Amino acid sequence: MRGIGSIREYQEDIIESIPSTIIVVDRNLRILYANRNYYVKSRKKERYTVGEKITRVFSSALVATTNLDSKIEDVFRTGIPFDGGQLRYPGGKFYFYKIYPLREKNGCIIKVVLLMEDITKLTQLEEELRDSYIKLENAYAELKETYETKSDFVSTVSHELRTPLTVINSYIEMFEDGLLGELSKKQLEKLYVIRSQTDHMIYLVGDMLDSTRLESRKFKIQKTSSCLETIAKDAVKELSRLAGLKEQSIHLNIDKNSSTVDMDEGRIKQVFSNLLTNSIKYTPEAGIITVTIMDGGDYILVSISDNGVGIAKSDLTKIFEKFYTIEGRSLVRESGRMGLGLAIAKGIVEAHGGHIWAESELGKGSTFKFTLPKHVSKYS
């Protein structure tokens, strides 16, 4: 008996030490138990909590807004847990909550448990991210309207955005590393969305900076004698998961005598990534994408072909222009960017002394080609 008592004491100690709020409610919506975390967070006394109806302990506005009482009654009635909702307390506090039935040995439900997690910091982070994203979209709209001054404006905005993005990324890393406490599955899902959107914003900022540098002739490349085959394989490997989502296959055909080029490895990889992403986007399910690298004598010829939707011949000479749209649609923006990917690829190839173009017919796929001189002088 003493052993059983000790186990129960351990159980009570564990429950009391859990950093989440735990409240047990009966069928009359009266609170039977609340753990220590609840009293710390709410600053309420036990004598004013236990035995009281939840509609009296929680603010009437909060109960009315969330229908918390109805949700608890539904769990009693159906026995199905309520998987989650959000409570917003006065003063800017946010909680994520779930409701679970507690069954007796005979299967009856006479109590339910309300679990609450403080997600104030995570919610504030989401709001900061949303505000930053809105500011970025507004800046982009203004950029298009004031085209004459876009270069200076974009450069300023891009540099200013780096600071909040760095702050957001640091908080995301702290949450991922568990430095701010363990997160629930739901919170981790939200954090994944924040991470993906932040990465997306970083790509947008990078595109804008590259575009501005190309226009102002401040775009710099650092050339070394490098293996083009390795860069191509790395780019294909990084995008294989994206292609796999559409059951597409990417093939590499490489002339072994055509791999060594004087180039900026990171920038040429960026060209591969932009062109491959474009092909993946506009190639149907189970489509085929082929990357070919050939020796052209003084230069290397790279071709990226697909069996996708194709491009009208009248648009082929224009698709490398910034923000160019085809019948109201931007080819690159469709993939989640701002219509700058092909323009940046063109700028990078030309900075290496090469040439880039596209060959295509509607409904018959597209081939993007670019050349790279084997030995070129540094771009200035």
Side-chain angles (χ1 to χ4, degrees), residues 238-332:
E238 289 181 5
L239 290 167
S240 61
R241 183 177 179 276
L242 181 62
L245 294 175
K246 298 178 70 174
E247 299 182 348
Q248 297 168 344
S249 58
I250 303 178
H251 301 288
L252 275 170
N253 296 322
I254 300 174
D255 183 339
K256 294 300 182 182
N257 297 321
S258 64
S259 289
T260 302
V261 181
D262 285 349
M263 61 182 166
D264 185 318
E265 293 185 13
R267 291 301 186 181
I268 295 302
K269 185 177 178 180
Q270 189 176 355
V271 174
F272 275 103
S273 296
N274 286 357
L275 297 182
L276 283 169
T277 300
N278 205 57
S279 291
I280 291 169
K281 175 67 179 180
Y282 293 97
T283 300
E285 301 282 337
I288 298 173
I289 299 167
T290 303
V291 179
T292 303
I293 301 177
M294 299 179 59
D295 189 350
D298 293 334
Y299 62 88
I300 302 299
L301 173 64
V302 178
S303 301
I304 298 178
S305 303
D306 62 63
N307 59 347
V309 297
I311 305 168
K313 289 188 176 181
S314 59
D315 293 312
L316 287 177
T317 59
K318 303 175 183 178
I319 58 175
F320 294 98
E321 297 174 6
K322 291 170 57 176
F323 312 121
Y324 181 71
T325 59
I326 298 177
E327 297 179 352
R329 298 190 311 160
S330 167
L331 283 178
V332 185

Side-chain angles (χ1 to χ4, degrees), residues 73-85:
E73 290 171 349
D74 287 342
V75 174
F76 273 117
R77 179 174 53 83
T78 64
I80 300 173
F82 175 70
D83 284 334

